[in-house]
Amino acid sequence: MAGRGFIALAFDPSYTGESKGEPRYVASPDINTEDFQAAVDFLSVQENVDPEKIGIIGICGWGGHALNTASIDTRIKATVTSTMYNMSRVNHNGYFDQMTQDELYALKEKLNAQRIKDFKNGK
């Protein structure tokens, strides 16, 4: 995009890539929507950016987060996604639909138990 004359900001959403924080490798619609909105915040106050011409691009699983952000943030004037990844399906069935119903239930039990643990220890 920058090579075509656009001001471009690329970032790793929370808990992925070069970003910091724990747990790692988490995709969270609420957190990642906030990440995209924070990027719009940042761009909106740059002197060399026209805040009326901000667009958003979401690739792969982040395409859904980009759409979610664009649906609630009126500052975003254009949205592009390139996604062949159904994050909800992967969360439900595992990669390549490899998770059985019993494995899915066990994963849900584990995640729910972790919520109680995190609540009790203040995280």
Side-chain angles (χ1 to χ4, degrees):
M1 296 301 295
R4 296 213 177 244
F6 293 91
I7 295 171
L9 172 65
F11 65 94
D12 288 326
S14 296
Y15 312 119
T16 65
E18 297 297 318
S19 70
K20 304 291 185 216
E22 296 288 334
R24 300 301 301 157
Y25 312 113
V26 169
S28 170
D30 56 339
I31 293 170
N32 299 133
T33 296
E34 175 60 29
D35 291 337
F36 275 114
Q37 286 192 282
V40 174
D41 295 342
F42 175 79
L43 288 171
S44 294
V45 298
Q46 301 306 304
E47 290 186 22
N48 57 342
V49 172
D50 182 344
E52 295 300 317
K53 294 183 178 180
I54 292 178
I56 189 170
I57 299 173
I59 299 171
C60 198
W62 306 106
H65 300 314
L67 288 172
N68 190 51
T69 306
S71 74
I72 63 171
D73 196 322
T74 59
R75 301 171 299 169
I76 297 170
K77 305 302 184 197
T79 307
V80 175
T81 65
S82 176
T83 183
M84 296 293 294
Y85 180 79
N86 184 335
M87 192 175 300
S88 295
R89 183 178 183 147
V90 169
N91 285 333
H92 189 269
N93 298 334
Y95 284 102
F96 308 111
D97 294 334
Q98 297 295 311
M99 192 178 298
T100 67
Q101 290 299 310
D102 289 339
E103 290 169 330
L104 174 62
Y105 189 81
L107 175 60
K108 288 178 183 179
E109 284 185 316
K110 178 182 174 184
L111 294 173
N112 291 326
Q114 185 65 46
R115 290 182 62 91
I116 297 296
K117 180 180 176 183
D118 290 347
F119 182 81
K120 286 180 177 179
N121 67 23
K123 290 185 179 180

